[in-house]
Amino acid sequence: MRFLASFILTVFIALPAAADVEIEEVTTPGGLTAWLVEDQSIPFVALELRFRGGTSLDLPDKRGAVNLMTGLLEEGAGDLDARAFARSLEGLAASFDYDSNDDDVSISAQMLTENRDEVLPLLRQSILEPRFDDSAIERVRQQVLSGLRSDANDPNEIASRALSEIAYGDHPYGGPERGTVASVAALTRDDILTAHRAVFARDRIYIGAVGDITADELSTLLDDLLDGLPETGAEIPGKVDVSLDGGTTVVPFDTPQSVALFAQRGIERNDDDFFPAFVLNHIIGGGGFESRLMTEVRQKRGLTYGVYSYLLPKDLAAIYLGSVASANSRVAEAIEVIRAEWDRAATEGVTVEELDAAKTYLTGAYPLRFDGNSRIATIMVGMQMQGLPIDYIATRNDKVNAVTLEDVNRVAGELLDPAGLHFVVVGQPEGLPVPTE
């Protein structure tokens, strides 16, 4: 039994071609909707639940409450304290993972078919009946505080926070999603209960299931699992305009190598030009060692070990991000090269050879994402949250292949904003203006 459980929880299903992932939409008698990929080959089920809102639901003076609450969900529920809850899960060879970010709170559950009826009550208790014992709150609080103190000495984290503040201002995206040392230290049990009520509701849930379970079985399971969940949660904040303009913000930090994040306004996931922008970014900075930024910044000039960029269409704002790290004496040159590459792509576009290579990679690599039941469940939930159709997996590569050179070069001219690209540099950069107190 123990060997079998270990094997099943670590083995991956046979790698499918992306188009072979057949998704069925399941609507329960209780009104819940889920996407299911039924696979009877292994007696194992992966279940992904996601609640829209995430740490953006924190009240302004309670930053970190949703993150702390999420960390406490596995610290005891119902009549089981933290140790008894963990022991019960281990005895059933089941695994629950809880996480939060500024757009959602996610719950990933994995279980053997033979133990499903015993595992589900534990999962239900952790969602609807978490204990939030004082001892557990203090233990998890100290873990969070330790991480926040460590972040205070992490140039990447400092840069990320500074960029968020500049880009999003007073919107929840602009604040620390895990809170600050002061805000987390001040959170009470009532604050955690408030965060729990804000997040867990039926009006914001998305569900994916993969494995040894039929549609009828999943339907019954979900209604039993989530019966009693409140209809509505806290109001989700409105969208925010990304308030970035060109320039450089330097955050002094004693280190021999500066870290720089760069960003401009991005593109929404449902924009008709998203796929041309996606391919364009692969050519500029998303293609690893083959990207233009890696070629110009690393290979030709030796300014960095790595530089990359990516589109980040979040629920409430779309941003286009990148990162580079370089010696203090050379980071200014790296920034100059990145801005020049931004300008070159905007004005000259890309070549047909670059476009063909990007399409080959992006379509060829896509099936590699479907490397296990949990991964597929996660992808399906992400598709639902982004409003993508249920046949998206089968049609996604066609959308990439349909992108033309004219599409990419038109979008490059419209999207890329060399003058509006903002850099946040953490370090002691030479040749860049350092603020004075």
Side-chain angles (χ1 to χ4, degrees):
M1 164 77 177
R2 186 176 295 276
F3 171 78
L4 176 64
S6 176
F7 170 76
I8 289 175
L9 288 177
T10 56
V11 73
F12 291 132
I13 62 172
L15 185 67
D20 292 340
V21 178
E22 296 183 5
I23 303 174
E24 177 182 1
E25 183 169 286
V26 176
T27 301
T28 75
L32 296 166
T33 298
W35 284 7
L36 166 67
V37 174
E38 187 176 341
D39 177 6
Q40 309 288 351
S41 62
I42 299 177
F44 163 69
V45 175
L47 183 65
E48 181 78 11
L49 308 175
R50 203 168 302 176
F51 295 83
R52 192 188 294 276
T55 59
S56 295
L57 298 176
D58 277 340
L59 298 173
D61 58 345
K62 303 294 181 185
R63 293 312 308 254
V66 168
N67 176 67
L68 182 57
M69 180 275 294
T70 305
L72 285 160
L73 294 176
E74 61 184 345
E75 296 292 328
D79 59 356
L80 301 175
D81 63 16
R83 180 170 296 182
F85 189 84
R87 191 180 299 126
S88 295
L89 268 186
E90 183 178 351
L92 293 167
S95 170
F96 300 163
D97 292 304
Y98 309 86
D99 200 4
S100 64
N101 58 49
D102 48 17
D103 279 339
D104 59 68
V105 170
S106 62
I107 301 173
S108 307
Q110 302 176 54
M111 66 203 79
L112 298 167
T113 304
E114 66 184 81
N115 294 337
R116 198 167 65 209
D117 290 344
E118 297 174 87
V119 171
L120 265 296
L122 291 174
L123 183 59
R124 173 181 165 78
Q125 286 182 327
S126 77
I127 299 171
L128 277 81
E129 305 173 38
R131 292 166 61 99
F132 299 139
D133 290 336
D134 289 342
S135 58
I137 291 173
E138 291 312 311
R139 180 171 59 255
V140 177
R141 188 201 307 272
Q142 292 308 314
Q143 293 169 357
V144 173
L145 291 174
S146 176
L148 292 175
R149 294 186 179 106
S150 177
D151 289 346
N153 295 309
D154 181 343
N156 289 290
E157 186 64 27
I158 295 170
S160 179
R161 286 200 176 190
L163 182 60
S164 294
E165 291 174 1
I166 295 169
Y168 306 118
D170 294 334
H171 189 273
Y173 279 180
E177 63 182 17
R178 290 187 294 146
T180 65
V181 170
S183 70
V184 172
L187 291 173
T188 66
R189 186 173 187 276
D190 283 345
D191 297 329
I192 295 165
L193 289 169
T194 298
H196 183 265
R197 288 192 295 270
V199 169
F200 292 107
R202 295 169 66 93
D203 65 339
R204 62 202 56 204
I205 189 171
Y206 300 83
I207 306 167
V210 180
D212 180 24
I213 188 167
T214 66
D216 287 343
E217 289 170 340
L218 178 62
S219 183
T220 301
L221 179 154
L222 292 175
D223 277 347
D224 291 345
L225 176 66
L226 300 170
D227 179 47
L229 196 68
E231 288 296 324
T232 59
E235 183 178 357
I236 294 174
K239 286 184 173 289
V240 56
D241 291 329
V242 177
S243 57
L244 286 171
D245 53 19
T248 304
T249 299
V250 175
V251 181
F253 189 77
D254 187 12
T255 174
Q257 176 173 272
S258 291
V259 169
L261 298 183
F262 50 95
Q264 64 152 79
R265 293 173 184 81
I267 184 169
E268 300 283 353
R269 183 62 183 79
N270 60 359
D271 193 294
D272 290 342
D273 285 331
F274 180 81
F275 273 97
F278 178 59
V279 174
L280 171 67
N281 174 64
H282 182 83
I283 295 169
I284 294 176
F289 283 94
E290 301 302 318
S291 75
R292 285 188 174 189
L293 291 183
M294 283 290 273
T295 299
E296 298 296 328
V297 181
R298 172 181 163 133
Q299 296 172 21
K300 289 186 178 179
R301 298 171 177 82
L303 296 172
T304 184
Y305 287 110
V307 55
Y308 61 88
S309 64
Y310 59 98
L311 300 172
L312 184 59
K314 301 169 77 169
D315 283 357
L316 306 175
I319 196 167
Y320 193 174
L321 281 168
S323 176
V324 67
S326 187
N328 286 330
S329 61
R330 306 197 70 186
V331 68
E333 182 183 357
I335 289 172
E336 182 180 353
V337 173
I338 291 169
R339 204 182 294 279
E341 286 305 307
W342 227 251
D343 182 69
R344 181 165 73 101
T347 56
E348 300 177 13
V350 304
T351 67
V352 67
E353 290 79 14
E354 289 176 315
L355 175 62
D356 290 345
K359 287 182 178 181
T360 298
Y361 176 84
L362 291 172
T363 56
Y366 189 52
L368 301 179
R369 299 185 186 180
F370 301 86
D371 61 357
N373 286 9
S374 297
R375 283 281 294 159
I376 295 172
T378 299
I379 290 171
M380 288 196 302
V381 169
M383 289 166 55
Q384 294 174 68
M385 294 190 71
Q386 293 174 347
L388 300 175
I390 200 166
D391 66 347
Y392 174 79
I393 293 174
T395 61
R396 180 267 195 190
N397 276 356
D398 293 338
K399 298 180 189 303
V400 173
N401 283 325
V403 173
T404 67
L405 187 64
E406 291 72 21
D407 292 333
V408 174
N409 289 339
R410 174 181 55 78
V411 170
E414 296 172 355
L415 174 64
L416 298 177
D417 182 14
L421 196 60
H422 194 101
F423 288 78
V424 172
V425 184
V426 177
Q428 300 289 336
E430 298 177 12
L432 295 176
V434 178
T436 56
E437 294 293 340

